[in-house]
Coordinates of all heavy atoms in Angstrom, one line a residue:
M1002 N 0.9 -1.2 0.0 CA 0.0 0.0 0.0 C 0.9 1.2 0.0 O 1.9 1.3 0.7 CB -0.9 0.0 1.2 CG -1.8 -1.2 1.4 SD -3.2 -1.2 0.2 CE -4.3 0.0 1.0
K1003 N 0.4 2.3 -0.7 CA 1.2 3.5 -0.8 C 0.3 4.6 -0.2 O -0.9 4.7 -0.5 CB 1.6 3.9 -2.2 CG 2.7 3.0 -2.8 CD 3.0 3.4 -4.2 CE 4.0 2.5 -4.9 NZ 5.4 2.8 -4.4
V1004 N 0.9 5.5 0.5 CA 0.2 6.7 1.0 C 0.7 7.9 0.3 O 1.9 8.1 0.0 CB 0.3 6.8 2.6 CG1 1.8 7.1 3.0 CG2 -0.6 7.8 3.1
S1005 N -0.3 8.8 0.0 CA 0.1 10.1 -0.7 C -0.7 11.2 -0.1 O -1.7 11.0 0.6 CB -0.1 10.0 -2.2 OG -1.5 9.7 -2.4
V1006 N -0.3 12.4 -0.3 CA -0.9 13.6 0.3 C -1.3 14.5 -0.9 O -0.5 14.7 -1.8 CB -0.1 14.3 1.3 CG1 1.3 14.7 0.8 CG2 -0.8 15.4 2.0
D1007 N -2.5 15.1 -0.7 CA -2.9 16.2 -1.6 C -2.5 17.5 -1.0 O -3.1 18.0 0.0 CB -4.4 16.1 -1.8 CG -5.0 17.2 -2.7 OD1 -4.2 18.1 -3.0 OD2 -6.1 17.1 -3.1
F1008 N -1.4 18.1 -1.5 CA -0.9 19.3 -0.9 C -1.8 20.5 -1.0 O -1.7 21.5 -0.3 CB 0.5 19.6 -1.5 CG 1.5 18.6 -1.0 CD1 2.0 17.7 -1.9 CD2 2.0 18.6 0.2 CE1 2.9 16.7 -1.6 CE2 3.0 17.7 0.7 CZ 3.4 16.7 -0.2
D1009 N -2.8 20.4 -1.9 CA -3.8 21.5 -2.0 C -4.7 21.5 -0.9 O -5.4 22.5 -0.5 CB -4.5 21.4 -3.3 CG -3.7 21.7 -4.6 OD1 -2.7 22.4 -4.4 OD2 -4.0 21.2 -5.6
Q1010 N -4.9 20.3 -0.3 CA -5.8 20.1 0.9 C -5.1 20.2 2.2 O -5.7 20.7 3.2 CB -6.6 18.8 0.8 CG -7.4 18.7 -0.5 CD -8.5 19.7 -0.5 OE1 -9.1 20.0 0.5 NE2 -8.8 20.3 -1.7
C1011 N -3.9 19.7 2.3 CA -3.2 19.6 3.6 C -3.0 21.0 4.2 O -2.6 22.0 3.6 CB -1.8 19.0 3.4 SG -0.8 18.9 4.9
E1012 N -3.4 21.1 5.5 CA -3.3 22.4 6.2 C -2.2 22.3 7.3 O -2.0 23.2 8.2 CB -4.6 22.8 6.8 CG -5.1 21.9 7.9 CD -6.4 22.3 8.5 OE1 -7.0 23.2 8.0 OE2 -6.8 21.7 9.6
A1013 N -1.4 21.2 7.2 CA -0.2 21.1 8.1 C -0.5 21.2 9.5 O 0.3 21.8 10.3 CB 0.9 22.1 7.7
N1014 N -1.6 20.6 9.9 CA -1.9 20.6 11.4 C -1.3 19.5 12.2 O -1.3 19.5 13.4 CB -3.5 20.6 11.6 CG -4.1 19.3 10.8 OD1 -3.5 18.3 10.9 ND2 -5.2 19.5 10.2
G1015 N -0.6 18.6 11.5 CA 0.2 17.6 12.2 C -0.5 16.5 12.8 O 0.1 15.7 13.5
I1016 N -1.7 16.3 12.6 CA -2.5 15.2 13.2 C -1.8 13.8 12.7 O -1.6 12.9 13.5 CB -4.0 15.2 12.8 CG1 -4.6 16.4 13.6 CG2 -4.7 13.9 13.2 CD1 -6.0 16.7 13.3
C1017 N -1.6 13.7 11.4 CA -1.0 12.5 10.9 C 0.4 12.3 11.5 O 0.8 11.1 11.8 CB -1.0 12.5 9.4 SG 0.0 13.9 8.7
V1018 N 1.1 13.3 11.7 CA 2.5 13.2 12.3 C 2.4 12.7 13.7 O 3.2 11.9 14.1 CB 3.2 14.6 12.3 CG1 4.6 14.5 12.9 CG2 3.3 15.1 10.9
G1019 N 1.4 13.1 14.4 CA 1.2 12.7 15.8 C 0.9 11.2 15.9 O 1.2 10.5 16.8
I1020 N 0.2 10.7 14.9 CA -0.2 9.3 14.8 C 0.9 8.4 14.3 O 1.1 7.3 14.9 CB -1.5 9.1 14.0 CG1 -2.7 9.9 14.6 CG2 -1.8 7.7 13.8 CD1 -3.9 10.0 13.7
A1021 N 1.6 8.8 13.3 CA 2.6 8.0 12.7 C 3.8 8.9 12.3 O 4.1 9.1 11.1 CB 2.1 7.3 11.5
P1022 N 4.6 9.3 13.3 CA 5.7 10.2 13.0 C 6.9 9.5 12.2 O 7.7 10.2 11.7 CB 6.2 10.5 14.4 CG 5.7 9.5 15.3 CD 4.4 9.0 14.7
D1023 N 6.8 8.2 12.1 CA 7.8 7.5 11.3 C 7.4 7.5 9.8 O 8.3 7.2 9.0 CB 8.0 6.1 11.8 CG 6.7 5.3 11.8 OD1 5.7 5.9 12.1 OD2 6.7 4.1 11.6
V1024 N 6.2 7.9 9.6 CA 5.7 7.9 8.2 C 5.5 9.4 7.7 O 5.9 9.7 6.5 CB 4.4 7.2 8.1 CG1 3.8 7.2 6.6 CG2 4.6 5.7 8.5
F1025 N 5.0 10.2 8.6 CA 4.7 11.6 8.2 C 5.7 12.5 9.0 O 6.0 12.3 10.2 CB 3.3 12.0 8.5 CG 2.3 11.0 7.8 CD1 1.7 10.0 8.6 CD2 2.0 11.1 6.5 CE1 0.8 9.2 8.0 CE2 1.1 10.3 5.9 CZ 0.5 9.3 6.6
E1026 N 6.1 13.6 8.4 CA 6.9 14.6 9.0 C 6.6 16.0 8.5 O 6.4 16.2 7.3 CB 8.4 14.2 8.6 CG 9.4 15.1 9.2 CD 10.8 14.7 8.8 OE1 11.0 14.2 7.6 OE2 11.8 14.8 9.6
L1027 N 6.6 17.0 9.5 CA 6.5 18.4 9.1 C 7.9 19.0 9.2 O 8.5 18.8 10.2 CB 5.5 19.1 10.0 CG 4.0 18.9 9.8 CD1 3.2 19.5 10.9 CD2 3.6 19.4 8.4
D1028 N 8.2 19.8 8.2 CA 9.5 20.5 8.3 C 9.4 21.8 8.9 O 8.3 22.2 9.4 CB 10.2 20.6 6.9 CG 9.4 21.5 5.9 OD1 8.6 22.3 6.4 OD2 9.7 21.4 4.7
D1029 N 10.5 22.6 9.0 CA 10.4 23.9 9.7 C 9.5 24.9 9.1 O 9.2 25.9 9.7 CB 11.9 24.4 9.8 CG 12.8 23.6 10.6 OD1 12.3 22.8 11.5 OD2 14.0 23.7 10.5
E1030 N 9.2 24.6 7.8 CA 8.2 25.6 7.2 C 6.8 25.0 7.1 O 6.0 25.4 6.2 CB 8.8 25.8 5.8 CG 10.1 26.6 5.8 CD 10.8 26.8 4.5 OE1 10.3 26.2 3.5 OE2 11.8 27.5 4.4
D1031 N 6.6 24.0 7.9 CA 5.2 23.4 8.0 C 4.8 22.8 6.7 O 3.6 22.8 6.3 CB 4.2 24.5 8.4 CG 4.1 24.6 10.0 OD1 4.8 23.7 10.6 OD2 3.4 25.4 10.5
Q1032 N 5.8 22.2 6.0 CA 5.5 21.5 4.8 C 5.5 20.0 5.2 O 6.5 19.5 5.8 CB 6.5 21.7 3.7 CG 6.4 20.9 2.5 CD 5.3 21.4 1.6 OE1 5.0 22.6 1.5 NE2 4.5 20.5 1.0
L1033 N 4.4 19.2 4.8 CA 4.4 17.8 5.1 C 5.2 17.0 4.2 O 5.2 17.3 3.0 CB 2.9 17.3 5.1 CG 2.7 15.9 5.5 CD1 2.9 15.8 7.0 CD2 1.3 15.4 5.1
H1034 N 5.9 16.1 4.7 CA 6.7 15.1 3.9 C 6.3 13.7 4.3 O 6.0 13.4 5.5 CB 8.2 15.3 4.2 CG 8.7 16.6 3.8 ND1 9.0 17.0 2.5 CD2 8.9 17.7 4.5 CE1 9.4 18.2 2.5 NE2 9.3 18.7 3.7
I1035 N 6.3 12.8 3.3 CA 6.0 11.4 3.6 C 7.3 10.7 3.6 O 8.0 10.7 2.6 CB 5.0 10.9 2.6 CG1 3.7 11.6 2.7 CG2 4.8 9.4 2.8 CD1 2.5 11.1 1.9
R1036 N 7.7 10.2 4.7 CA 9.0 9.5 4.9 C 9.0 8.1 4.3 O 10.0 7.7 3.8 CB 9.4 9.5 6.3 CG 9.4 10.8 7.0 CD 9.4 10.7 8.5 NE 10.4 9.8 9.0 CZ 11.4 10.2 9.9 NH1 11.4 11.5 10.3 NH2 12.3 9.4 10.3
T1037 N 7.9 7.5 4.3 CA 7.8 6.1 3.9 C 6.5 5.9 3.1 O 5.5 5.5 3.6 CB 7.7 5.2 5.2 OG1 8.7 5.6 6.1 CG2 7.9 3.7 4.8
A1038 N 6.6 6.3 1.8 CA 5.4 6.2 0.9 C 4.9 4.8 0.8 O 3.7 4.5 0.7 CB 5.7 6.8 -0.4
D1039 N 5.9 3.8 0.7 CA 5.5 2.4 0.7 C 5.3 2.0 2.1 O 6.2 1.8 2.9 CB 6.6 1.5 0.0 CG 6.6 1.7 -1.5 OD1 5.5 1.6 -2.0 OD2 7.6 1.9 -2.0
V1040 N 4.0 1.8 2.5 CA 3.7 1.6 4.0 C 4.0 0.1 4.3 O 3.4 -0.8 3.7 CB 2.3 1.9 4.3 CG1 2.0 1.7 5.7 CG2 1.9 3.3 3.8
P1041 N 4.9 -0.1 5.3 CA 5.2 -1.4 5.7 C 3.9 -2.0 6.4 O 3.1 -1.3 6.9 CB 6.3 -1.3 6.8 CG 6.8 0.1 6.6 CD 5.7 0.9 6.0
E1042 N 3.8 -3.3 6.2 CA 2.6 -4.0 6.7 C 2.3 -3.7 8.2 O 1.2 -3.5 8.6 CB 2.8 -5.5 6.6 CG 1.6 -6.4 6.8 CD 0.6 -6.1 5.6 OE1 1.0 -5.9 4.5 OE2 -0.6 -6.2 5.9
D1043 N 3.4 -3.6 9.0 CA 3.2 -3.4 10.4 C 2.9 -2.0 10.8 O 2.6 -1.7 12.0 CB 4.4 -3.9 11.2 CG 5.7 -3.2 10.9 OD1 5.7 -2.4 9.9 OD2 6.7 -3.3 11.6
R1044 N 2.9 -1.1 9.8 CA 2.5 0.3 10.1 C 1.2 0.7 9.4 O 0.7 1.8 9.5 CB 3.6 1.3 9.5 CG 5.0 1.1 10.2 CD 4.9 1.2 11.7 NE 4.7 2.6 12.1 CZ 3.7 3.0 12.9 NH1 2.9 2.1 13.4 NH2 3.6 4.3 13.2
L1045 N 0.6 -0.3 8.8 CA -0.6 0.0 8.0 C -1.8 0.5 8.9 O -2.5 1.4 8.5 CB -1.0 -1.3 7.3 CG -2.0 -1.1 6.1 CD1 -1.6 0.0 5.2 CD2 -2.2 -2.4 5.4
S1046 N -1.9 -0.1 10.1 CA -3.0 0.2 11.0 C -2.9 1.7 11.3 O -4.0 2.4 11.3 CB -3.0 -0.7 12.2 OG -4.0 -0.3 13.1
D1047 N -1.8 2.2 11.7 CA -1.6 3.6 12.1 C -1.8 4.5 11.0 O -2.4 5.6 11.1 CB -0.3 3.9 12.8 CG -0.3 3.5 14.3 OD1 -1.3 3.2 14.8 OD2 0.8 3.5 14.8
V1048 N -1.4 4.1 9.8 CA -1.5 5.0 8.6 C -3.0 5.0 8.2 O -3.5 6.1 7.9 CB -0.7 4.5 7.4 CG1 -1.0 5.2 6.1 CG2 0.8 4.6 7.8
E1049 N -3.7 3.9 8.3 CA -5.1 3.9 8.1 C -5.8 4.9 9.1 O -6.8 5.6 8.7 CB -5.7 2.5 8.2 CG -5.4 1.6 7.1 CD -5.8 0.2 7.2 OE1 -6.1 -0.2 8.4 OE2 -5.9 -0.5 6.2
T1050 N -5.4 4.9 10.3 CA -6.0 5.8 11.3 C -5.7 7.3 10.9 O -6.6 8.1 11.0 CB -5.4 5.5 12.7 OG1 -5.7 4.2 13.1 CG2 -6.0 6.5 13.7
A1051 N -4.5 7.5 10.5 CA -4.1 8.9 10.1 C -5.0 9.3 8.9 O -5.5 10.5 8.8 CB -2.6 9.0 9.7
V1052 N -5.1 8.5 7.9 CA -6.0 8.8 6.7 C -7.4 9.1 7.2 O -8.0 10.1 6.7 CB -5.9 7.6 5.7 CG1 -7.0 7.8 4.6 CG2 -4.6 7.4 5.1
A1053 N -7.9 8.3 8.1 CA -9.3 8.5 8.5 C -9.5 9.8 9.3 O -10.5 10.4 9.3 CB -9.7 7.3 9.3
Q1054 N -8.4 10.1 10.1 CA -8.5 11.3 11.0 C -8.1 12.6 10.4 O -8.3 13.6 11.1 CB -7.8 11.0 12.3 CG -8.4 9.8 13.1 CD -8.0 9.7 14.5 OE1 -7.3 10.6 15.0 NE2 -8.5 8.7 15.2
C1055 N -7.5 12.6 9.3 CA -7.1 13.8 8.6 C -8.3 14.7 8.4 O -9.2 14.3 7.7 CB -6.4 13.6 7.3 SG -6.1 15.1 6.4
P1056 N -8.4 15.9 9.1 CA -9.6 16.7 9.0 C -9.8 17.3 7.6 O -10.9 17.8 7.3 CB -9.4 17.8 10.0 CG -7.9 17.8 10.2 CD -7.4 16.4 10.0
K1057 N -8.8 17.3 6.8 CA -8.9 17.8 5.4 C -9.1 16.7 4.4 O -9.1 17.0 3.2 CB -7.7 18.7 5.1 CG -7.4 19.8 6.1 CD -8.6 20.8 6.0 CE -8.5 21.6 4.7 NZ -9.6 22.6 4.7
A1058 N -9.1 15.5 4.8 CA -9.2 14.4 3.9 C -8.1 14.5 2.8 O -8.4 14.2 1.6 CB -10.6 14.3 3.2
A1059 N -6.9 14.8 3.2 CA -5.8 15.1 2.3 C -5.0 13.8 2.0 O -4.2 13.9 1.1 CB -4.9 16.2 2.8
L1060 N -5.2 12.8 2.8 CA -4.3 11.6 2.6 C -5.1 10.5 1.9 O -6.3 10.3 2.1 CB -3.9 11.1 4.0 CG -3.0 12.0 4.9 CD1 -2.8 11.4 6.2 CD2 -1.7 12.2 4.2
R1061 N -4.3 9.8 1.1 CA -4.9 8.7 0.3 C -4.0 7.5 0.4 O -2.8 7.6 0.3 CB -5.1 9.1 -1.1 CG -5.6 8.0 -2.0 CD -6.1 8.5 -3.3 NE -7.3 9.4 -3.1 CZ -8.0 10.0 -4.0 NH1 -7.7 9.8 -5.3 NH2 -9.0 10.7 -3.7
L1062 N -4.7 6.3 0.6 CA -4.0 5.1 0.7 C -4.4 4.2 -0.4 O -5.6 3.9 -0.5 CB -4.2 4.5 2.1 CG -3.4 3.2 2.6 CD1 -1.9 3.6 2.6 CD2 -3.9 2.8 3.9
Q1063 N -3.5 3.7 -1.2 CA -4.0 2.9 -2.3 C -2.9 1.9 -2.7 O -1.8 2.0 -2.3 CB -4.2 3.8 -3.6 CG -3.1 4.7 -4.0 CD -3.6 5.7 -5.0 OE1 -4.7 5.8 -5.4 NE2 -2.6 6.6 -5.4
Ligands
SF4_1465 S1 -3.5 15.3 9.1 FE1 -4.1 15.9 7.0 S2 -4.1 18.1 7.0 FE2 -3.0 17.4 8.9 S3 -0.8 17.4 8.3 FE3 -1.6 15.4 7.9 S4 -2.3 15.4 5.8 FE4 -2.1 17.5 6.4

């Protein structure tokens, strides 16, 4: 599974970073980066939670 972000929707509130900081990261300029686009099997649960809880629906898992 791969996770991606729609940067037009992301408001950099960091919710996904709080849930899975090994997958999502905010830089000093509040730009979101995906550290691990290919989601390891053992991280899938947290990434699914992050996708579901993103208030901007900016994350996609496919
Ligand atoms: S939770 Fe959604 S809006 Fe917030 S930083 Fe992550 S992708 Fe962006």
Side-chain angles (χ1 to χ4, degrees):
M1002 302 286 279
K1003 288 182 184 280
V1004 66
S1005 59
V1006 59
D1007 179 347
F1008 290 106
D1009 290 335
Q1010 297 297 320
C1011 175
E1012 62 180 13
N1014 54 41
I1016 290 174
C1017 57
V1018 179
I1020 295 169
D1023 54 327
V1024 177
F1025 305 101
E1026 179 179 38
L1027 281 174
D1028 67 18
D1029 293 342
E1030 297 176 348
D1031 274 353
Q1032 177 75 38
L1033 186 70
H1034 298 276
I1035 297 183
R1036 301 163 55 118
T1037 315
D1039 285 312
V1040 182
E1042 193 69 30
D1043 62 348
R1044 300 301 292 125
L1045 196 51
S1046 176
D1047 276 349
V1048 172
E1049 286 174 340
T1050 299
V1052 170
Q1054 294 196 5
C1055 173
K1057 301 297 289 183
L1060 296 173
R1061 175 162 299 182
L1062 190 59
Q1063 54 194 2

